[in-house]
């Protein structure tokens, strides 16, 4: 699958983090879709196809886990990479139990994020072939 055809939604209420992720994803050939909250993501009626989500666990308002749960109930969960600044040891395990590809602790490296996006894209390739 061509990276340019991969839409990666970033849902994070930290605008500086979102901008950095947007630049990284764009420079790596992906199409970033930036949302400042779970509620904004859900409100966008003409949202493009989302192939992968980078989803902050702790958002103002609806949490990343709550958004993932709501998408699962609707039957439309793309591969998710959870990100968090929470240092709790149980957070990565909770994220994996929620069915994510990866749970990354902020600050994470560009390489670790892009590797996780690569694994998410690989699941798309498997499901379409």
């Amino acid at each position: 699958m061509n990276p340019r055809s991969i839409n990666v939604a970033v849902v994070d209420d930290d605008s500086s983090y979102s901008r950095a992720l947007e630049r990284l994803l764009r420079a790596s050939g992906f199409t970033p879709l930036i949302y400042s909250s779970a509620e904004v993501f859900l409100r966008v009626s003409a949202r493009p196809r989302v192939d992968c989500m980078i989803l902050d666990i702790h958002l103002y308002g609806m949490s990343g886990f709550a958004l993932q749960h709501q998408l699962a109930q609707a039957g439309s969960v793309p591969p998710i990479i959870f990100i968090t600044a929470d240092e709790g040891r149980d957070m990565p395990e909770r994220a994996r139990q929620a069915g994510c590809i990866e749970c990354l602790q902020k600050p994470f490296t560009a390489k670790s994020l892009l590797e996780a996006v690569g694994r998410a894209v690989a699941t798309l390739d498997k499901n379409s072939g």
Side-chain angles (χ1 to χ4, degrees), residues 39-59:
E39 291 84 358
V40 169
F41 177 84
L42 292 170
R43 273 197 307 262
V44 175
S45 58
R47 182 175 50 248
R49 179 192 78 250
V50 174
D51 299 304
C52 173
M53 289 185 82
I54 299 170
L55 181 53
D56 193 358
I57 291 173
H58 297 290
L59 298 165

Side-chain angles (χ1 to χ4, degrees), residues 38-39 41-43 47 55 62-77 80:
E39 291 84 358
F41 177 84
L42 292 170
R43 273 197 307 262
R47 182 175 50 248
L55 181 53
M62 179 185 283
S63 74
F65 284 137
L67 175 57
Q68 184 271 344
H69 181 73
Q70 187 165 337
L71 292 173
Q73 286 186 321
S76 62
V77 181
I80 292 177

Side-chain angles (χ1 to χ4, degrees), residues 73-94:
Q73 286 186 321
S76 62
V77 181
I80 292 177
I81 300 159
F82 279 118
I83 59 176
T84 183
D86 189 330
E87 295 183 20
R89 296 193 189 276
D90 68 326
M91 198 57 64
E93 183 56 32
R94 281 187 63 203

